[in-house]
Amino acid sequence: MTSSTASRPLQVALLGAGIMGAAMARNLLKAGHRVTVWNRTPERAQALAADGARFAVDPAEAVRDADLILTILLDGPAVLAALRDAAPALRPGTVWAQCSTVGLEALDGLAAFAAEHGLLLVDSPVLGTRQPAEAGQLTVLAAGPAEARPLADQVFDVIGASTRWLAEDAAGGAATRLKLVLNGWVLTLVNGTAEALTLAEGLGVDPQAFLDTVAGGGLDVPYLQAKGRAMLSADFTPSFTLDAALKDARLIAAAGEQAGVVLDLAPAAVTRLARAQAQGHGAEDMAASWFASRPS
């Protein structure tokens, strides 16, 4: 825990009760914070009542009297729509921890909304999937004003293993820019693993032999082994959905174009993941990239 952590329980409004949001809510409740949850699919938010969360029928009800608002929705438009619906109940000075991966263009709109309503925006995308989220072991990338940090750190200390404060201006995009770089590397690993395994099969090589040969050596990483095992066992239980990975690939490709750098892998990831999505694998884990190398 950081030195900023206080003993007073916080009233947290959590908008988004998907894989990541539900895990965050449960950890915050276990830590003694009060959590009100809203989700576009009400059943997901209602399911958290058994853990002690309060269900809100709309975003305005969720944020009313909140010390901190935490958003963890699919993309920038979904986040902005939820906050617009919450606008009648927003109070100036409330800390808003925006934990979704939204990209640079959407961040501009969120920062403008925060400024219009006097919210203390902390751009705080998180690195990790289902298992780290459930264990409270996410990495939080944060950029926001110093006055927001005491409350934000109380939440980040619960949902994450570490927090990297990168800047005091959320609108500058320091946290989002780093998140796009990191997600680009994650997609490279996942898609590279999928292609290596399917190439092995196509060449008549036991794909497990590939994983065994690199295991423990300089070419090995834990993520390769984890996703490789998932692909070979056909276990595509979502830890991070292919739909969300495709969204991120598009954000990365757009950011590269905006920055004037030539990216080949990000646009290729868009094509590959979109092919797997068209085959019906969007709601499965992003390891379902494996299907993109196979005839539909």
Side-chain angles (χ1 to χ4, degrees):
M1 306 293 280
T2 67
S3 59
S4 64
T5 301
S7 59
R8 179 177 73 86
L10 298 180
Q11 179 64 51
V12 178
L14 192 145
L15 307 183
I19 292 173
M20 304 292 284
M24 291 176 176
R26 291 188 177 100
N27 285 327
L28 288 167
L29 289 163
K30 289 176 184 176
H33 297 297
R34 299 182 297 273
V35 181
T36 301
V37 183
W38 170 85
N39 194 72
R40 286 175 295 179
T41 304
E43 292 78 13
R44 290 184 176 180
Q46 290 168 337
L48 291 166
D51 299 284
R54 187 170 73 86
F55 167 72
V57 297
D58 56 41
E61 180 183 346
V63 306
R64 191 169 288 115
D65 300 322
D67 297 307
L68 181 143
I69 301 166
L70 191 158
T71 49
I72 183 70
L73 295 158
L74 176 62
D75 55 22
V79 173
L80 186 57
L83 265 292
R84 283 175 172 162
D85 288 343
L90 293 174
R91 292 179 293 109
T94 302
V95 176
W96 173 17
Q98 203 307 99
C99 293
S100 308
T101 302
V102 299
L104 295 170
E105 182 178 352
L107 179 60
D108 290 341
L110 300 181
F113 181 92
E116 178 185 354
H117 293 273
L119 303 176
L120 299 178
L121 175 62
V122 180
D123 181 33
S124 46
V126 294
L127 183 65
T129 55
R130 179 194 294 269
Q131 292 81 3
E134 291 176 346
Q137 295 292 302
L138 297 167
T139 297
V140 182
L141 311 173
E147 57 266 39
R149 294 191 184 188
L151 290 187
D153 272 335
Q154 288 190 65
V155 169
F156 297 159
D157 284 346
V158 172
I159 68 173
S162 64
T163 300
R164 294 200 63 187
W165 283 97
L166 300 165
E168 292 194 2
D169 177 20
T176 283
R177 292 171 195 274
L178 179 55
K179 182 64 191 314
L180 293 175
V181 172
L182 291 164
N183 277 15
W185 176 235
V186 170
L187 291 176
T188 297
L189 287 172
V190 172
N191 290 322
T193 301
E195 289 205 353
L197 294 178
T198 53
L199 176 62
E201 289 186 346
L203 295 177
V205 174
D206 180 1
Q208 185 62 50
F210 161 67
L211 296 177
D212 293 344
T213 301
V214 301
L219 297 176
D220 195 21
V221 293
Y223 212 64
L224 162 64
Q225 297 292 336
K227 292 303 179 185
R229 287 193 300 271
M231 292 172 192
L232 294 184
S233 65
D235 180 4
F236 300 106
T237 304
S239 180
F240 188 81
T241 68
L242 187 139
D243 283 339
L246 175 56
K247 178 264 299 183
D248 287 351
R250 287 174 171 146
L251 293 177
I252 294 161
E257 184 176 353
Q258 181 181 344
V261 298
V262 179
L263 300 180
D264 294 314
L265 297 182
V270 172
T271 300
R272 180 178 182 84
L273 295 171
R275 189 160 62 247
Q277 183 189 62
Q279 293 171 348
H281 302 290
E284 297 174 352
D285 188 77
M286 60 181 167
S289 165
W290 183 82
F291 290 101
S293 292
R294 300 171 176 279
S296 58

